[in-house]
Amino acid sequence: MVSGPGEEHGERRLGAAELGAELGERATLVQFSSAFCQPCRATRRTLAEVAGMVDGVAHVEIDAEDRLALVRELDVLRTPTVLVLDARGRIVRRAAGQPRRADVIAALGEAVRWQARG
């Protein structure tokens, strides 16, 4: 997973109102998907599995077509796009394409460390 410009400093935060779901107590995995996106299905399974393994982590899936304003604001160019948020909703990592399970787990570790600094 890679960081986007400016996100390594946690400048942008997302909350429950924008996501349509509550943030995880420790971190949140936000997935932008679209209806006919085959990699989105595999990404959904991976993120749900990781969120189920780690206490305090939520997985939120957003239909990109239904949330075009947010997609544009966050510069989501393809699906799936995954954002990893810390407990305060700061974007600490982002990736486009289907992530590997090990990368998601590593990004969660970073989000939790970011929270400890923050």
Side-chain angles (χ1 to χ4, degrees):
M1 300 189 93
V2 295
S3 291
E7 286 151 6
E8 62 275 2
H9 301 294
E11 296 167 357
R12 181 64 171 99
R13 291 185 188 198
L14 297 172
E18 292 161 300
L19 298 177
E22 292 297 320
L23 293 173
E25 187 178 308
R26 298 177 70 199
T28 304
L29 302 170
V30 179
Q31 174 185 350
F32 286 89
S33 297
S34 55
F36 299 104
C37 167
Q38 185 63 34
C40 293
R41 294 180 194 132
T43 298
R44 178 184 312 119
R45 285 190 300 271
T46 299
L47 298 183
E49 179 183 316
V50 171
M53 290 175 13
V54 183
D55 287 338
V57 175
H59 170 224
V60 177
E61 187 170 3
I62 296 173
D63 185 322
E65 295 170 16
D66 288 345
R67 304 291 303 279
L68 287 177
L70 186 59
V71 164
R72 289 182 183 119
E73 179 185 344
L74 296 173
D75 199 28
V76 173
L77 302 177
R78 62 182 279 204
T79 58
T81 290
V82 177
L83 307 178
V84 179
L85 312 181
D86 70 5
R88 295 180 180 174
R90 290 182 288 195
I91 300 170
V92 296
R93 301 282 278 184
R94 79 180 282 152
Q98 184 178 337
R100 295 179 316 145
R101 184 172 176 240
D103 293 336
V104 174
I105 292 168
L108 279 176
E110 183 176 333
V112 172
R113 282 192 305 278
W114 187 267
Q115 173 187 334
R117 287 187 270 163

